[in-house]
Amino acid sequence: MIFRRYNTSVLAVVALGLLLIYYYIRQPLILSPFGAKILANQGTTLALAALAQLVVVLTGGVDLSVGAVVSLSNCIAATYMGSHPASVIAVCVLTLAVGAGAGLLNGVLVAYGRIQPIIVTLATLYIFSGLALMVRPQPGGLVPPFYANALTGGWGYLPYALVALFVVLFAVWTPLMRSRLGTAIRAVGDNPGGAHMSGINVPRTLILAYVMGGVFAAAAGLYLTAQTTSGDAAIGTSYTLNSVAAVVFGGALLGGGRGVAPGPVIAAYFLSIIISVLFAAGISPFYQSVFQGGILMVVLVFGNLWTLRTRNWLTILKN
Amino acid sequence: MTRDTNGTGPLLDARAITKSFGGVQALNAADFACDRGEIHALLGANGAGKSTLVKIFSGVMAPDSGTITFDGQEVTFTSPADAGAKGVATVFQELSLFAHLTVAENIFIGHEPLTRLGQVSGRRMRATARALFDRLGIDHLNPDALLSDLSLADRQLVEIFKALSRDPRLLILDEGTSALGRTEVERLFALLRKLKSGGTSVVFISHRMAEIREFVDRMSVFRNGALVGTVAAANCSDEEIVEMMLGQRVDKSFPERSPLPAAAPMLLEVEGMSGGSRLRDISLQLRGGEVLGIAGLEGQGQGELLLALFGAYRRLSGRVMLHGKPAKLSKPWIAKRAGIALIPEDRKTEGLVLPMSVRENISMATLPAYGRFGFVSLKRERRFVAQMIERLEIKVGSMEQPARALSGGNQQKLVLAKWLATGAEVFLFYDPTRGIDVGTKRAFYELIAGLAREGRGVIVYTTETSELAGLCHRVLVMDDGRMVRSLEGDEITEPKILAASFGLGDGAKPEKVPA
Amino acid sequence: MDNILARRLLDFTRHGVAVAYALLAFLVIAAFVYDPGLASWSWIHAQLQITAFIGIIAIGQTMVILIGQIDLSVPWNLTFSALVMATLSADGHSIWLAMGAALLCGLIIGAINAVGVAVFRLHSLVWTLGMNALLQGASLVYTNAQPPKSDVPAVVREMAVGNLFGIPAAALIWAVLAIFTIVVLRRTRFGRYLYAIGNNETALFVSGVDSRKVVFGAFMVSGFGAALAGILLTGYASQTYLGMGNDYLLIPIAAVIIGGTNVMGGSGGYVGTIAGALIVVILQSLLSTAQIGQAGKDVVFGVIILALVLLYAREARPTD
C-alpha cells in the first residue's frame, strides 16, 4: 500500500516520542507555551536542512555543501537585512536566490560535469564557506526584532516555527514532490538507466533537485538568522553531518529513490532536542556528537543489513 | 478504433541495418518489415542480432548504417523519449522499472495524468491503471503497491502496462513474457489481438517458441545479424524453424574429442545443490578429462550454477565432493585453493580489470607466487606472463598494454591465462566464445579440448548449441533452475540439444535426471 | 599541425601527475618572481616542515581514494589520538608507550572505518563522517574539554620541529614513509590489489582474492597516518587542543586529487600526491603573502579542485 512508503518514518516518530516523554518526566515545564516554543525553535533549522539534503539524496547523490549554504545565507541575511520590512523581504528573496544559485552550480557540475556529487559538494563546500567569510569576516550583523519574533515567537501553544515549517512543507515541498518533477527525482535516484529509457530528462531533473536543495538550505539559514539574530560564517558547519544523519535516520535510502519528508523532519527534531535532554538528564553535553555520530552509524548498519542478506556475493559487490 | 495513417505500406520498414560493437558485427545489412496491425515474432538463436535490432527501434542506440521507415516516413530514433513520441513503446529485457515507486507511478512515469494545478493526479492515475488491468483481465494487481513487493511475473506485467499506457502504434516486447504463466500469456495475447484490430502492430521476441507460435501472424528468423526469411506462422513446422535458425551446416571443425578413459578419476560431485537465486536440487558429476556441457534457454540458472561452484553464493544446501572428499565452496578464494577456475559470464566486468595492463590481469589470481613477504618480483612476473602469452598465442603489442585495448577474443584469452596460471583442475566456462571472432573461437575449442586431454575437468555453459555438440562428452539441460535432461553419446547433436532446450519433441516431457 | 599540438596538450592534461609537477614548477617560479625574497632555504625549509604533516596524512588518503573510498574521519582521529598520547604522557607514562597507544588508537579507528565499508558495505562518506562526529564527542568526553596542559616531551618536539642536517626532521620522517609508500603501491601485492579494487572490485573478487582485507589495510594506513600526524602536530604546536585536526580534512584530499589520483579510484599514486601536497602548501603560503585571507583561500581552493577534477577525473558518459 502507498502508506507503506511512510513506514520508513516510524523509527524517527517513535524515537522522538520516547525522547519527549522522557524529557517531560525530567522537565515538566516543556509542556507550556514557552516550552513548546523552545522545542520547536531548536529543531526547525535542521529540519529545513534535512529537506535540502533529502531532495539530493533522493536523486542518489549527497550534498556536503548544505552546511556551507546555511552559513552563507545566514551571513547574507544578517548583514544586509536592515530594519525596514521591505528590505527584510528583499533580502530574504535575495538569500533564497543565492541558495538556488549555489544549488545550480552543484547541479550543473554533477549533471554535465559528470563529477561525483561527493567531490563536487566537498569542493563547493569550501567555496561557499569562503564566500560566507567574505560577506561576514567577524560574527555579528543586525536582525530586526520583528523578523526574529515572526519566526521564533509563538501564539499560545502554537510556535511560529512550526507554522513556518508547515508552510514550507505543504506549500512548497508537497506540491513539488507531487509534480512530475517529484516522481522524476525519485525515479532518477532509483534507476538512472531506467529513467533515461522511460524518456525522463535525467540531467534536467538532477539540476532542479540540487537547486531545490540550495533553496531549502538557504531557508534553513534564514531561520537560523531569526534564531541567533546574528551572522556567523562558521555556524552552519554541523548541519552537513546532521542533515545526512536526519535523512538516514528518517528512513531515506542513501543511494536514492526512497524517502519521504516526515521522517527526516522528525529525525531532525530528535537530533536537535537530544542535546537539551542530555542536559536535563545530567549527562555531559559533550556526549552530543557521540550520540549524533553513533546514531548515524547504528542506523546505517541496520539499514543495510537486509541488502547483506542477499545470497550472491557478486550482487553485494556490485551494489 | 482505427488510426490515421500515412500510406498503406508496412508500418515499420528497416532496410540494410548494420551495427557493430568493437570488432563484432551484431547486425549485418539486416532487413525487417512489420505490417500495420499484425503480431510479428522475431526469432533467432542467441547472438542473432534480435536484441540489437530492438534497441535501434526503441532509440537506445543508433545504427551504423541503414534506413528506417516508420509510417511511410524515413525516421531516426534519437532517444527512447524520441521513439516514444513517435509511437514506439518497448518492453525491455532488462526491466526499466523503479523499485520504490508504486505500480501506478511506474506505469505512467514521465506522462502522469495531472490535475488542473499541475499535480500528479493519483486518482486518475489509479483509475486509468485499473482500466488497463481490466483490459487484460488482471485483477490481482494493486496500483498502489510498491514495485519492490511484486513478484517477477507481476513486474513483467507492470512493464507491459507501462508500454501499453503510451497507446503505442508499435509495441515491442523483448522477452516480455519469460516470467509469465500460461494463462497470463494467453490473456496478454488476447489483448494484443484487440490492439491489433485497432491498428497497433506488435513485434514479439521470445525463446518460448512453442508457447507463442499459435498467437502470432508472421515470424521473421534471424541468423548471424541478418534476416533469413519471414514466414506465415500458420504454415511452418517446428523443424523448419529450427533449421532456419541453425542454417546450413557450416563445418565449425571442432577438435577431435578425446575418448573418456573408463578409469577416469572422479573430480567433482555435486548432490542436491539448491539455493542462490534459483538453483533447485542440482546433481552432477565430473570426471577428469571430461567436457560436460550445460544447455538450456538463456537464464535458466546455468550462470548461477557455475557461480555457486565457484563459491560466489552463500547458504547453499547440498553436498559437494572434490576428489572424493567433501568440500565447502563458500568463498571464491576457497574454491581457487581447491583447484576450481571460473571464466565468468562478462569478461569486461567480472573477468578483467580493463584499465590495468595485460601483465597485471594475467597475474591477478597468482600474485603470491611471484615473490615473498607480499612483494611482487616484476622480473618473475614478466617472465611468467610472457610464457602465458606465448602459450595461448595472445596477440598483444606489449604486456604493458591495458586489457581494454585488446580484441574480445584476446581479452577472453587473458581470463583463461589468469586461471591456467593457478593450475586449476576444474574449469568452469560461462559462454566463453560469446562475441569473439571465428578464428579465436577455434583456438578456444582447441584449448578446451587440450584441458581435457591433460586430465582436467571442464564444465561449459554456452549459448551456441553447435559448441555443445562439438565439444562435450555429456550435455545436461537446465530449465528453471533444475536439471531436466541428460544427453549422452549419439544424443549429442545440435537438433536434439536445441529441441530439448526449447522443450520441443522429446524435451516436451521433462524428466528428472538421476544423479 | 595545430591539431597535433592541441592533441598533445590534451593528452598531457589527462596525465594528472605530469600536470601536478608542471603546476608545482610554475607555482615555485611564480613565487620567486613575485617575491624574490622567498628564494631562500628558510622559505623552502618552512614549506617542507608544513608539507610533511599533510603528506603523511595523504598517504592513507591516497590509498583510500585509490580504492574508490574516502576517509572523512581524519580530523578527529588526529585530535583524539593526540589527546590519548598527551593524557597518557601527562599521567606519567613513558612517552614511547603514549605514542604507541596513540598510533594503536589510529589503527583501531581505521579498522572500524573498514568494518563499515568492507563488511557492512556502507558509503565510506557517511560512515566516516559519522565516525568523525563520534570521535569529536569522544575527545570532549575523554578530556572533559580540558586537554592536558602539561609540557610536550622533548622527543615529540624534536620529531616535529627538530632538524637533521638542516632538514626538518618531520620532512625526513615523511620522506622515509613516502619512499615506503611508493614501493608498496608499485611493488607489492597490497598495492596491486588497491588499484584493482578501485577499477573493478568484482573482477578481483572473481580472481579469488579477498578484497575486504585490502580495504582494511587502506583504512588502517589512513588511521595510522592521522594518528602520526596528530603526534607530530602536538610537537609542532607544543600542545594538544580540541579542533587541532580541523584544517586537515580537505587539504590532504585536495593534495591527492591535485596529484592526479582519480577520485573514483583505480589510478594515480603517491608520486603525484607529493606534488599535490607541496602545491597546496605553497599556494596557501602565496595567498597569505598576497594578504588574501582565509575566505579567499577557501574559495580559491574549491575552484582549483573543481577545475582539476573537471580536467582529468570525469566520469564516463553514462551510455552503453
Side-chain angles (χ1 to χ4, degrees), chain A:
Chain A
M1 287 304 289
I2 198 159
F3 298 108
R4 263 209 45 196
R5 195 174 271 167
Y6 292 91
N7 284 357
T8 54
S9 309
V10 167
L11 179 64
V13 174
V14 171
L16 182 65
L18 291 177
L19 188 74
L20 287 178
I21 291 170
Y22 178 77
Y23 197 7
Y24 175 71
I25 294 168
R26 282 269 163 187
Q27 182 52 273
L29 269 184
I30 64 160
L31 207 65
S32 67
F34 179 73
K37 208 165 66 184
I38 298 282
L39 285 180
N41 291 352
Q42 235 167 17
T44 304
T45 308
L46 184 57
L48 291 168
L51 289 180
Q53 190 66 257
L54 176 60
V55 65
V56 171
V57 165
L58 280 175
T59 66
V62 68
D63 187 352
L64 296 185
S65 71
V66 164
V69 177
V70 170
S71 298
L72 178 60
S73 53
N74 169 244
C75 289
I76 292 175
T79 307
Y80 301 116
M81 197 166 260
S83 53
H84 194 274
S87 81
V88 169
I89 291 172
V91 168
C92 285
V93 172
L94 170 81
T95 308
L96 294 174
V98 169
L104 183 67
L105 178 65
N106 284 334
V108 168
L109 286 166
V110 168
Y112 291 110
R114 306 202 305 277
I115 312 174
Q116 278 207 315
I118 301 175
I119 300 298
V120 167
T121 54
L122 194 60
T124 56
L125 149 71
Y126 277 77
I127 297 178
F128 300 148
S129 40
L131 291 176
L133 204 55
M134 283 180 188
V135 171
R136 182 138 280 291
Q138 269 82 43
L142 190 73
V143 175
F146 72 85
Y147 174 75
N149 190 47
L151 289 173
T152 60
W155 182 65
Y157 276 95
L158 183 67
Y160 295 151
L162 284 189
V163 177
L165 183 71
F166 275 74
V167 167
V168 171
L169 272 178
F170 290 105
V172 184
W173 177 270
T174 309
L176 272 170
M177 291 316 286
R178 291 220 175 134
S179 68
R180 279 186 185 163
L181 175 66
T183 322
I185 286 173
R186 286 188 287 140
V188 166
D190 195 319
N191 178 357
H196 174 71
M197 293 254 216
S198 308
I200 289 173
N201 185 338
V202 178
R204 177 174 162 271
T205 307
L206 283 174
I207 290 174
L208 288 175
Y210 279 89
V211 168
M212 276 171 73
V215 172
F216 284 118
L222 284 177
Y223 188 84
L224 188 62
T225 311
Q227 216 186 338
T228 63
T229 64
S230 77
D232 179 354
I235 198 163
T237 318
S238 68
Y239 288 99
T240 296
L241 169 80
N242 286 332
S243 65
V244 175
V247 162
V248 171
F249 193 16
L253 208 59
L254 285 171
R258 193 187 82 192
V260 287
V265 166
I266 289 165
Y269 280 99
F270 175 85
L271 291 171
S272 307
I273 292 172
I274 196 166
I275 305 159
S276 324
V277 177
L278 288 178
F279 186 75
I283 298 172
S284 151
F286 300 151
Y287 277 98
Q288 175 193 346
S289 307
V290 176
F291 272 88
Q292 287 171 338
I295 288 169
L296 174 64
M297 292 169 86
V298 169
V299 170
L300 277 173
V301 168
F302 279 99
N304 220 30
L305 279 183
W306 73 270
T307 339
L308 296 175
R309 277 196 348 235
T310 320
R311 293 178 174 179
N312 188 343
W313 288 106
L314 293 184
T315 347
I316 295 174
L317 282 175
K318 284 176 181 169
N319 201 324

Side-chain angles (χ1 to χ4, degrees), chain B residues 25-83:
Chain B
Q25 193 92 15
L27 287 174
N28 188 4
D31 297 327
F32 176 73
C34 179
D35 279 339
R36 290 158 204 275
E38 76 162 334
I39 301 180
H40 196 135
L42 208 50
L43 299 173
N46 296 303
K50 299 164 303 194
S51 283
T52 309
L53 198 63
V54 167
K55 283 187 177 147
I56 288 170
F57 292 155
S58 51
V60 175
M61 49 177 69
D64 297 338
S65 65
T67 57
I68 300 173
T69 314
F70 188 71
D71 199 13
Q73 284 178 333
E74 199 173 315
V75 291
T76 47
F77 299 118
T78 53
S79 69
D82 178 52

Side-chain angles (χ1 to χ4, degrees), chain C residues 43-320:
Chain C
W43 184 76
I44 295 171
H45 185 278
Q47 305 310 309
L48 284 176
Q49 174 81 64
I50 301 167
T51 315
F53 307 132
I54 290 161
I56 287 170
I57 295 170
I59 290 174
Q61 201 68 268
T62 301
M63 292 181 178
V64 170
I65 292 179
L66 273 178
I67 60 171
Q69 304 289 347
I70 200 158
D71 183 356
L72 299 185
S73 71
V74 166
W76 284 96
N77 180 349
L78 185 160
T79 310
F80 185 75
S81 303
L83 288 172
V84 166
M85 176 185 74
T87 343
L88 286 179
S89 143
D91 286 354
H93 292 284
S94 116
I95 183 59
W96 301 108
L97 177 92
M99 279 202 280
L103 293 174
L104 185 67
C105 203
L107 282 173
I108 292 171
I109 292 166
I112 300 173
N113 283 335
V115 168
V117 175
V119 179
F120 294 116
R121 312 237 35 116
L122 297 162
H123 289 235
S124 55
L125 173 86
V126 280
W127 181 253
T128 57
L129 203 61
M131 190 68 189
N132 196 45
L134 196 69
L135 290 170
Q136 179 180 1
S139 304
L140 287 165
V141 173
Y142 179 56
T143 60
N144 220 2
Q146 301 286 317
K149 286 276 183 266
S150 65
D151 287 342
V152 173
V155 193
V156 177
R157 271 197 65 73
E158 271 312 300
M159 276 166 56
V161 294
N163 285 292
L164 204 62
F165 317 118
I167 300 169
L172 288 174
I173 296 175
W174 174 39
V176 171
L177 293 176
I179 292 168
F180 184 71
T181 306
I182 292 168
V183 172
V184 165
L185 287 180
R186 294 188 169 182
R187 289 291 148 88
T188 66
R189 249 184 284 160
F190 175 68
R192 187 74 63 83
Y193 293 155
L194 286 177
Y195 286 92
I197 290 178
N199 281 306
N200 184 349
E201 186 174 0
T202 310
L204 185 67
F205 182 81
V206 177
S207 299
V209 176
D210 190 350
S211 53
R212 294 173 302 184
K213 288 182 187 162
V214 184
V215 174
F216 268 86
F219 275 98
M220 285 169 77
V221 169
S222 183
F224 183 86
L228 181 58
I231 295 171
L232 293 176
L233 281 168
T234 303
Y236 185 67
S238 299
Q239 59 166 333
T240 45
Y241 56 98
L242 295 166
M244 64 190 284
N246 286 356
D247 288 338
Y248 294 90
L249 176 59
L250 184 77
I251 305 281
I253 293 175
V256 175
I257 295 171
I258 292 174
T261 295
N262 188 336
V263 281
M264 313 277 290
S267 72
Y270 197 69
V271 176
T273 304
I274 294 174
L278 287 164
I279 288 170
V280 287
V281 170
I282 293 174
L283 199 63
Q284 281 203 319
S285 143
L286 285 182
L287 291 173
S288 304
T289 320
Q291 310 280 310
I292 293 175
Q294 191 57 41
K297 280 187 200 169
D298 284 351
V299 173
V300 170
F301 259 62
V303 170
I304 287 181
I305 291 173
L306 280 178
L308 288 173
V309 174
L310 272 174
L311 200 62
Y312 50 67
R314 307 217 298 166
E315 277 181 79
R317 200 175 278 281
T319 53
D320 32 332

